[in-house]
Amino acid sequence: GGSGNWNAAGNWSTTSGGASNGTFPVAGDVVVFDSLSANAPMTVNVASACASLVMSGTYAGTLTFTDTLTLTSTCTFVAACTIAGTAGTLIHTGAATLTSAGKTLTCALSLLANNAYTLADNWAVSGLVTVGTNGGTTTANGVGKTLSCNGGFRKIVGATINGTAKV
């Protein structure tokens, strides 16, 4: 329900279409925007975290990045949604499957875990893409899939990057 800023407690429920639970998502929470989300726009207005971000069904709202959102798992967009904002960063710190649904991520993307990332489809990123951990190995899988780094690419010093996806 609701619309507006990520840290506004009145925007969130623990059940799809349910009443506000009076808190906003934190690390460990699964965030879902679905057909019952009333296409509510949401702005990541403060440094935030959750386990995963999943858009599904007919959700056609806008997710705007003006600050960082840190995920430890899956990120799924849907074709009907809009991604906006260039000031923030979508940060992944755990193994994840990433689904863009043809959307361009307008902010920066950081794949910072010593883990494997699977591209379910091609990803285009307008902001800077940062990959790796010092001394670690980051794997980008997705046979025939491409991560387009339109805003530049930075590999963390001492990191190893491998996998089946093209970066």
Side-chain angles (χ1 to χ4, degrees):
S3 65
N5 291 327
W6 187 276
N7 68 340
N11 292 333
W12 301 99
S13 173
T14 56
T15 60
S16 178
S20 170
N21 67 347
T23 63
F24 60 91
V26 295
D29 289 338
V30 174
V31 172
V32 177
F33 293 91
D34 63 15
S35 301
L36 297 177
S37 297
N39 296 330
M42 186 61 57
T43 298
V44 180
N45 63 310
V46 297
S48 302
C50 59
S52 59
L53 173 66
V54 177
M55 294 179 180
S56 67
T58 59
Y59 177 73
T62 298
L63 179 62
T64 302
F65 288 88
T66 62
D67 211 318
T68 60
L69 177 60
T70 301
L71 305 176
T72 55
S73 186
T74 299
C75 180
T76 302
F77 299 128
V78 291
C81 76
T82 300
I83 307 301
T86 58
T89 303
L90 179 59
I91 301 171
H92 285 275
T93 61
T97 297
L98 309 175
T99 306
S100 74
K103 297 296 162 187
T104 295
L105 185 64
T106 55
C107 65
L109 173 67
S110 295
L111 304 176
L112 300 180
N114 190 17
N115 286 304
Y117 296 95
T118 300
L119 300 180
D121 53 8
N122 294 325
W123 270 67
V125 181
S126 296
L128 177 68
V129 175
T130 303
V131 178
T133 57
N134 188 359
T137 300
T138 301
T139 303
N141 287 321
V143 175
K145 306 300 187 253
T146 300
L147 174 59
S148 299
C149 309
N150 302 324
F153 178 82
R154 181 174 74 112
K155 180 181 103 168
I156 300 294
V157 174
T160 300
I161 302 170
N162 63 29
T164 59
K166 296 178 186 176
V167 179

